[in-house]
Amino acid sequence: MFAQMADFIGKILDKISATSLVATGMLLLTALVSALVAYLRTTKERSFREFFDFVFPHEIITHPSAKADLLFWVTRKALMPFLMLPAGITFVVAVGYATNRLLAALFQIDAPLIPGPAGPVTTVIFTVTMLLAYDISYYFYHVAQHRFPILWELHKVHHSAEVMVGITKDRVHPLDELMNRAWDGVIPGICFGIWSLVSLNLVELTVFGINVYVMRNILMMDFVRHTHFKISFGSLNNVVLCPHWHQLHHSVDPRHYDKNFGLLFSFWDRFFGTLCVPKPDEDFKFGLMERNVRDYQSLSGLYLMPLKRMWRQIRLRLRPRASQQQVTPDIEETRS
């Protein structure tokens, strides 16, 4: 059993490595096209120099938050191959395998139901359902990050960015991402397990390959929506959450608190009443409305301070009620 799972995970990792260069190239291309579109829409007198200044504004690139993003991105990328990627795959595969065995035993199913390679229709349906599973899973976790103070202490790392420079998308505390990937083992993992009953070959080919991860990353333009480029998709905004709508999520304006939680699709926010549509070309101020927001613009502030503040939250909740009343509630600070 475990040997089969290890072999399966190995195949998935090989497939991700093979597609990573293509994905990186396409993501950079979308960023360049978005920069051109945003530049042409906002300027009349155009030149290469002005375009360069528009893409890399001095006040943004030299901001302490941007420097913190770069240092955090470099150190965090060193952790990804050894912790985050294997952990995310393992959680989904483990829950998927358990789901497969449980359903097969309950309904006496001799999997897979479709032997050999699946047809194109089945592949498309599978890909769409996996995209929906990952997206709704992220939405629920993202809402929890804003609603539960302990999770919010970790998520503050992401919202503490006072400027957005693309790699701000990776300004996520490792523990926060690890918990997110563990949570992904629930909904996507169960979906994974159900589909493995239908066709194991289908799952091996597409669940962690181009059809799900790379397609999702390209469509949601995660790099672009963590920049100052106000990109909207027009009527497609009713389906896909555009960069400008996500930038509103980072706004410090109280009207924008706890809005636009979606990752790829915007209809979750519309359905659950958390959608907020910005005005065309509306500007936002980013960051946290806290007195110590600048403490997050260092590696120690990004890595260690959230853990200390989480521990303070836990200790506060473990104290007797009488003791809690004597504690100054200085850790329940303003949202963001």
Side-chain angles (χ1 to χ4, degrees), residues 184-198:
D184 272 345
V186 181
I187 299 177
I190 292 173
C191 188
F192 174 102
I194 294 173
W195 272 104
S196 68
L197 290 173
V198 177

Side-chain angles (χ1 to χ4, degrees), residues 177-243:
E177 181 156 358
L178 187 62
M179 293 169 65
N180 190 5
R181 291 177 185 243
W183 168 250
D184 272 345
V186 181
I187 299 177
I190 292 173
C191 188
F192 174 102
I194 294 173
W195 272 104
S196 68
L197 290 173
V198 177
S199 174
L200 186 59
N201 287 335
L202 174 69
V203 173
E204 287 180 353
L205 289 173
T206 62
V207 67
F208 296 112
I210 191 90
N211 285 333
V212 175
Y213 277 115
V214 178
M215 179 188 297
R216 182 190 65 181
N217 290 341
I218 293 170
L219 289 175
M220 74 183 187
M221 301 176 70
D222 203 20
F223 184 92
V224 175
R225 67 183 186 170
H226 288 95
T227 66
H228 57 286
F229 307 147
K230 303 179 185 69
I231 300 297
S232 176
F233 299 149
S235 59
L236 189 59
N237 290 335
N238 293 320
V239 178
V240 179
L241 193 73
C242 70

